[in-house]
Amino acid sequence: MVEDKILSKTLKEAITTGKCIFGSRGVISSIKGSKLVVYSSSLKSPLLDELIKKCDDSSIPILSFKGSSINLGRICGKDFRVSTMLVRLPGDANLRDILDKEIEE
């Protein structure tokens, strides 16, 4: 599992310098051409199944965040729950840091 510090730093950079979309419906409808999708353990089927299928079809890396949507919202610096987020443009964030660690495990 990707360390919370690395994930937090990378996602904050992507949010402040890039373009991100929050919410499962928004993510599913905007998935094409994205760089990364992150979902929390709070996301349940059938949305999770649909999200995984869309990511596989579009060859978009998907990262399972082991914490709840409240924890993901805090990491993203939001005052609301975030069950799913999408990084469309990473900005200054180095997504390789979290993707490489996820592949190692």
Side-chain angles (χ1 to χ4, degrees), residues 4-18:
D4 283 345
K5 287 182 180 181
I6 295 170
L7 180 64
S8 176
K9 179 180 180 255
T10 305
L11 292 180
K12 284 178 183 177
E13 284 180 17
I15 292 166
T16 57
T17 64

Side-chain angles (χ1 to χ4, degrees), residues 1-2 61 63 96-105:
M1 183 173 77
V2 178
L63 178 67
R96 283 284 141 216
D97 289 345
I98 57 177
L99 293 176
D100 290 345
K101 292 217 183 275
E102 186 69 14
I103 291 171
E104 288 174 7
E105 300 168 358

Side-chain angles (χ1 to χ4, degrees), residues 13-51:
E13 284 180 17
I15 292 166
T16 57
T17 64
K19 180 171 180 175
C20 296
I21 297 173
F22 301 96
S24 54
R25 284 291 164 205
V27 167
I28 289 172
S29 65
S30 304
I31 209 161
K32 196 169 187 175
S34 298
K35 304 298 181 199
L36 174 69
V37 172
V38 180
Y39 68 93
S40 72
S41 62
S42 302
L43 188 64
K44 303 294 181 205
S45 295
L47 284 175
L48 178 58
D49 297 335
E50 184 179 355
L51 180 68

